[in-house]
Amino acid sequence: MPAACDSMLEDIEDIVSAEDLKPHDRQFVRKNVFPKVRKRNSQKNNQTDDDPPSDSIIPGVQKIWIRTWGCSHNNSDGEYMAGQLAAYGYKITDNSAEADLWLLNSCTVKNPAEDHFRNSIKKAQEGKKKVVLAGCVPQAQPRQDYLKGLSIIGVQQIDRVVEVVEETIKGHSVRLLGQKKDNGKRLGGARLDLPKIRKNPLIEIISINTGCLNACTYCKTKHARGDLASYPIEELVDRARQSFQEGVCEIWLTSEDTGAYGRDIGTDLPTLLWKLVEAIPEGAMLRLGMTNPPYILEHLEEMAKILNHPRVYAFLHIPVQSASDSVLMDMKREYCVADFKQVVDFLKEKVPGITIATDVICGFPGETDEDFQETMKLVEQYRFPSLFINQFYPRPGTPAAKMHQVPAAVKKQRTKDLSQLFHSYNPYDHKVGERQRVLVTEESFDSNYYVAHNPFYEQVLVPKDPLLMGKMVEVNIYEAGKHFMKGQPVSDARVYTASITRPLAKGEVSGLTEEFRHAPQNGTSWKAHPSAEIPVKTQLSSWMALQLPWQQEGGGLKILSVSLALLAVLVMFYYGGMKTEL
């Protein structure tokens, strides 16, 4: 028999179980089915598995552990999935051992991330856990051997995670990998007002678009996220306003390429940003995500004005990847080094103190020693305070994987050389003694400090005073390290609070509108994007049908009524010899 998930499944109805009859088998036996009541002393059905049969499981009460790898976009998807599951009744747990189901949200950028993902699947299976897979790995390559038989929720289908988890818990294998469209036009993805559990109640991550306009030869994410699809400005502004009303004081805009925003819907990034700036309250901040050089070049003047706004961090992440034009051409990056320098030089001139972060790939196929030295010179020239150094990993199915590879030892050495250069300078030493305004949003990894950021999104560690969390304060910088500064709050300085609304508690579900409060009780699933509503035919088991009334007032009487009705039908079968066509 073929594996459960050998063929592509388009909807929740496409569930596969080893006990299911094939459609033509079902048609053949249809006219010969006679319902029969099982007698008390009939032979018991031997269970070969420790798990109860699927029709005796009540979804919505299990514990779920969620693990996310990768970018802020993926983290936002994970927060949305956690929120919907919690709103439905599932308990989101930090303890993987006590969880009934693992939801693994993957990243396909580099081999190590996928290796961690694959190992987690194996560990879950060894621990007899139910598994649902999400993120870019299964979306890009759903037919990999180690994914066979497992449920998958696609990157544009996260609003239907409840259905997939529900069916997986009942023992079915479900795959939803389709794209959301409106009149044939691809949409940005699931709606933005879904329930959500923020990892940090003070930070809202908003995906402004999905996919991109490039076709980089090394990129696997393109296979998963696809071409550019942007959310309308009104929806993004509404989401930002809702976040501030829930106590959020910092918003991150994210996507595969924020600079390309709006090109598919007749608008652009500066237009969106000016609308968002109007919605930011005093004491709150907005951080822009990654943008590639080609799509920011034509908006440099407007971008400089926006980055100078007091409620927008003077920070921009612009990946260069290599300082060799020949390597950039092989990567199909659609810009040259001069374009990158033009963007950086212009912003440094017009936005004094701006932080420019960048990425570099070491050992891309065909990269010569001369090419690599050009990259070293670029880093030496600009001394980027934030530099993401990546050793090249050939991703399966990408053009770069078929190119002539640089020897592993050479890639490793170049990565080491660039890392040594990066650690040879300290970008913040000259800021000791300054008085800076910072927004406190997190706790440090070692739990010894609170983490704040100044107007240039530079990290400042401050004392762990609970009164500071979520506030904008002034500090005196007294120490600087490679990646941070330390500041002491100024006693006579004004403290800004971004919103009068109390932030949500950690783990609390946001965005619970009346629609979502009542959706589970009505036995319905979350709807798709309002402009592309898809009929949802969730298959509820008999136990699920009985379980849902429990969540309503008078649920016990409803269950009794249903039980009596079922009993009456069975009596009629037994004594009347009723013949029923199925």
Side-chain angles (χ1 to χ4, degrees):
M1 173 180 278
C5 295
D6 276 348
S7 58
M8 189 67 64
L9 302 180
E10 299 295 337
D11 206 341
I12 196 72
E13 293 83 20
D14 297 325
I15 54 180
V16 180
S17 174
E19 292 78 22
D20 287 346
L21 291 173
K22 296 180 180 179
H24 67 274
D25 295 332
R26 201 175 285 121
Q27 179 70 23
F28 178 76
V29 301
R30 171 177 292 182
K31 297 180 180 180
N32 301 309
V33 176
F34 294 87
K36 181 179 180 180
V37 176
R38 179 179 295 173
K39 297 180 180 180
R40 284 180 179 271
N41 57 356
S42 62
Q43 184 178 2
K44 293 184 178 180
N45 184 28
N46 294 325
Q47 294 290 331
T48 58
D49 197 342
D50 293 335
D51 293 334
S54 62
D55 62 352
S56 66
I57 296 174
I58 305 175
V61 298
Q62 289 77 16
K63 295 179 180 179
I64 299 177
W65 180 65
I66 301 176
R67 172 73 190 275
T68 295
W69 293 265
C71 64
S72 54
H73 190 167
N74 225 32
N75 276 276
S76 177
D77 287 352
E79 292 178 349
Y80 273 124
M81 289 189 284
Q84 293 170 84
L85 291 167
Y88 194 81
Y90 292 104
K91 179 181 178 182
I92 308 302
T93 178
D94 293 328
N95 187 343
S96 61
E98 73 173 13
D100 301 292
L101 180 143
W102 287 14
L103 174 54
L104 304 176
N105 189 19
S106 61
C107 171
T108 191
V109 172
K110 293 189 290 186
N111 289 8
E114 183 171 350
D115 291 341
H116 287 303
F117 174 63
R118 185 188 295 108
N119 292 337
S120 294
I121 294 174
K122 183 179 179 181
K123 186 175 180 181
Q125 292 170 329
E126 290 173 349
K128 305 298 183 184
K129 307 291 185 182
K130 301 288 186 182
V131 183
V132 171
L133 308 179
C136 292
V137 171
Q139 180 74 53
Q141 285 187 298
R143 300 183 187 279
Q144 293 188 83
D145 288 342
Y146 73 92
L147 304 180
K148 286 184 177 180
L150 299 176
S151 291
I152 295 175
I153 180 79
V155 294
Q156 284 214 327
Q157 299 291 334
I158 61 171
D159 54 343
R160 302 179 70 180
V161 66
V162 171
E163 303 169 55
V164 176
V165 166
E166 179 180 299
E167 296 299 334
T168 302
I169 284 174
K170 292 190 289 186
H172 301 132
S173 178
V174 184
R175 294 193 167 195
L176 297 182
L177 295 166
Q179 304 293 327
K180 294 195 181 299
K181 296 182 179 181
D182 180 18
N183 294 325
K185 183 177 178 61
R186 187 166 177 266
L187 299 173
R191 50 195 282 188
L192 296 173
D193 62 349
L194 294 169
K196 189 176 195 180
I197 296 180
R198 301 184 182 96
K199 288 185 177 180
N200 185 336
L202 298 175
I203 298 176
E204 166 70 3
I205 306 172
I206 302 179
S207 172
I208 62 175
N209 57 266
T210 189
C212 69
L213 295 173
N214 294 338
C216 300
T217 56
Y218 57 82
C219 182
K220 190 72 175 176
T221 305
K222 176 77 172 187
H223 297 190
R225 298 284 181 177
D227 293 328
L228 179 69
S230 306
Y231 284 98
I233 289 178
E234 303 76 33
E235 293 182 21
L236 295 167
V237 173
D238 287 346
R239 181 65 191 180
R241 288 195 176 116
Q242 176 191 333
S243 301
F244 291 129
Q245 291 168 3
E246 293 173 342
V248 163
C249 62
E250 186 170 289
I251 285 183
W252 298 356
L253 299 186
T254 183
S255 77
E256 283 64 58
D257 187 352
T258 58
Y261 170 80
R263 286 173 173 255
D264 58 318
I265 57 174
T267 186
D268 54 43
L269 181 62
T271 302
L272 167 65
L273 294 177
W274 284 124
K275 291 291 185 181
L276 285 171
V277 162
E278 295 174 3
I280 303 174
E282 185 178 14
M285 295 294 288
L286 175 70
R287 191 196 82 174
L288 302 184
M290 185 272 291
T291 176
N292 284 311
Y295 307 113
I296 205 70
L297 269 170
E298 61 190 75
H299 302 306
L300 282 178
E301 288 283 354
E302 284 300 298
M303 290 302 299
K305 294 176 184 177
I306 293 166
L307 291 168
N308 273 308
H309 193 281
R311 295 174 194 171
V312 179
Y313 286 116
F315 167 89
L316 205 56
H317 179 192
I318 314 171
V320 65
Q321 304 300 9
S322 173
S324 165
D325 284 341
S326 64
V327 173
L328 291 175
M329 186 177 298
D330 290 340
M331 292 178 174
K332 288 193 175 180
R333 290 290 289 170
E334 299 185 8
Y335 61 85
C336 60
V337 179
D339 294 332
F340 174 81
K341 289 183 176 181
Q342 181 183 348
V343 172
V344 175
D345 292 342
F346 183 90
L347 292 177
K348 279 182 169 289
E349 178 187 352
K350 300 296 184 180
V351 189
I354 186 174
T355 295
I356 300 292
T358 195
D359 300 355
V360 170
I361 296 176
C362 295
F364 185 81
E367 182 186 63
T368 65
D369 289 337
E370 291 75 17
D371 294 329
F372 178 68
Q373 288 306 315
E374 290 298 319
T375 301
M376 294 282 282
K377 290 176 185 177
L378 184 77
V379 174
E380 179 66 45
Q381 176 184 352
Y382 288 99
R383 293 184 166 240
F384 303 102
S386 181
L387 177 63
F388 302 96
I389 302 170
N390 302 291
Q391 180 177 317
F392 175 75
Y393 290 95
R395 300 297 289 131
T398 61
K402 301 176 183 178
M403 297 178 182
H404 180 68
Q405 303 296 309
V406 173
V410 175
K411 290 192 292 185
K412 186 175 181 180
Q413 185 60 49
R414 288 176 184 171
T415 304
K416 181 179 179 181
D417 291 345
L418 187 57
S419 297
Q420 288 177 341
L421 172 59
F422 173 61
H423 286 94
S424 69
Y425 57 86
N426 294 314
Y428 306 129
D429 284 352
H430 66 286
K431 298 198 173 189
V432 173
E434 289 185 358
R435 182 164 171 165
Q436 298 183 354
R437 176 174 52 88
V438 300
L439 178 60
V440 185
T441 56
E442 303 173 71
E443 184 177 81
S444 62
F445 287 117
D446 61 10
S447 300
N448 293 329
Y449 299 91
Y450 281 161
V451 177
H453 291 90
N454 64 18
F456 311 107
Y457 203 69
E458 296 164 336
Q459 185 172 270
V460 179
L461 304 180
V462 299
K464 283 186 66 175
D465 180 354
L467 296 177
L468 298 178
M469 185 58 73
K471 307 294 193 303
M472 188 173 283
V473 299
E474 289 189 355
V475 298
N476 288 321
I477 303 300
Y478 65 89
E479 183 180 332
K482 174 63 181 176
H483 302 285
F484 64 89
M485 291 169 276
K486 291 182 180 179
Q488 184 64 39
V490 178
S491 57
D492 60 344
R494 180 180 175 185
V495 176
Y496 295 90
T497 303
S499 173
I500 60 173
T501 305
R502 176 190 64 84
L504 299 178
K506 189 173 179 62
E508 187 174 350
V509 181
S510 77
L512 271 183
T513 60
E514 286 303 306
E515 172 188 359
F516 291 110
R517 290 181 191 279
H518 296 304
Q521 284 83 352
N522 294 332
T524 59
S525 301
W526 314 124
K527 294 179 181 177
H529 194 285
S531 59
E533 228 168 78
I534 302 172
V536 179
K537 304 174 183 176
T538 308
Q539 297 185 355
L540 298 175
S541 68
S542 58
W543 270 103
M544 187 60 181
L546 292 177
Q547 182 259 346
L548 291 172
W550 286 347
Q551 302 172 9
Q552 304 177 20
E553 187 175 354
L557 291 175
K558 293 181 181 179
I559 294 172
L560 180 59
S561 299
V562 173
S563 300
L564 291 174
L566 289 174
L567 180 59
V569 171
L570 292 174
V571 170
M572 291 174 65
F573 279 143
Y574 189 78
Y575 290 103
M578 184 181 294
K579 180 178 178 180
T580 304
E581 288 190 1
L582 296 180

